[in-house]
Amino acid sequence: MTDRAKDRARGTARETTPTTTPETGDGTRAVRAGLPAPVKNEPALPGPVFAAHFHLPGDVTGPYTYGRDTNPTWTLLEQAIGELEAPGREGVDTVVFASGMAAVSAVLFSQARAGDTVVLPEDGYQALPLVRDQLEAYGIRVRTAPTGGDGQLAALDGARLLWIETPSNPGLDVCDVRRLADAARAGGTLVAVDNTLATPLGQRPLELGADFSVASGTKGLTGHGDVLLGYVVCRDAQLAAGIRRWRKIIGAIPGPMEAWLAHRSLATLQLRVQRQWANASAVAEALADRAEVAALRYPGLVSDPSHATASRQMRGYGSVVSFTLPDRAFAERFLAALHLVEDATSFGGVRSTAERRGRWGGDAVPEGFIRFSAGAEDTEDLVADVLRALDAAVADRV
Ligand code: PLP
């Protein structure tokens, strides 16, 4: 075996050769993404490389030197995520992180300086207000505007960076990414899209004009509720260099085992999300007929205010459904009566979860607000469980 072939087998060669094209189907791309060229007697996906440092005689050359800077297991995962987020697109570069928040912070804190303005969504992930406080503590001005109705358009003037979260968590509003990105670019504003909820199979922000697609891989991307991970996909190598530099400074790196588990999970991404999206849609339709359910949101429902925009820019409507039950006690009875749905936070996993979002205190939602994440159970079982739990919550009303 040549040295190059040995490197490939270990996954230590920097480049992998994509075997898919932009026309390849999502399922094929998911099972092949980031795989090195096959080498006789070696596994298809090389195992995790556990190394704090690498042999480095003489000058500092070659891709792998120190484990905070680079790791071959990340290289393969980064290649895979890049292939899924931006199939066939030249120059795209991906950087993986220890968590979604590490990825979010990497973009915001590496790109904005004191005196700059950043536009955040008013209704995004509940850690964004903490991020806002920190940005302001560093002298960065923050404007917020709602996701719905493309409200952030009015806040763009002179901004350094626009942060979009669509669909937003937990309200599931959707904004027109291309419209916002065009306006931002015209004013010299960088655009980052949090693609956590949609996953790269549901939405491709770079194709819609974003400079960065950022996500928590903890959710649908890895899908088993056992890994924390984040990533940033950058439009070009220059932007990526800034993100890599930030990762080196802050050290928020994924462990090789997590990175490998994530890559392994990608092979089933299409299978998982297709079932989960179908389940979310079926649950939303079943809930739409129930008198106890108010403010039902799912971008896939034809009646949803986000439906038209979501249909234009999304390739799937996601696994999350949100709705409001009459009050806190009703919502707690509903959650306790579910058998197939775990009362847990997070979303996007193969086991359905639901929670009363108000229990955290961070989101502007009513006490009876439920964020429901559809898993990969059989659709009939899941819908029956949800309807039965609703009946139980009604029957136990005092
Ligand atoms: N972005 C969104 C939309 C999220 O929902 C979350 C977590 O729920 C994050 C980012 C942060 O991800 P992590 O928990 O992996 O840090």
Side-chain angles (χ1 to χ4, degrees), residues 99-101 104 125 165 169 194 196 216 218-219 228-229 347:
S99 69
M101 281 316 295
V104 169
Y125 175 50
E165 188 180 303
N169 169 23
D194 187 323
T196 302
S216 166
T218 313
K219 319 288 177 206
L228 276 119
L229 190 92
F347 56 84

Side-chain angles (χ1 to χ4, degrees), residues 1-2 20 22 37 47 108 138 181 184 195 213 222 336 346 349 353 372 384 391:
M1 199 191 284
T2 62
T20 59
L108 287 162
Y138 290 149
N195 205 27
S213 179
T222 58
S346 205
T353 55
F372 186 100
D391 289 340

Side-chain angles (χ1 to χ4, degrees), residues 49-54 65-71 256:
V49 176
F50 297 104
H53 57 261
F54 299 84
T65 55
Y66 185 60
R68 178 164 32 77
D69 297 338
T70 44
N71 176 293

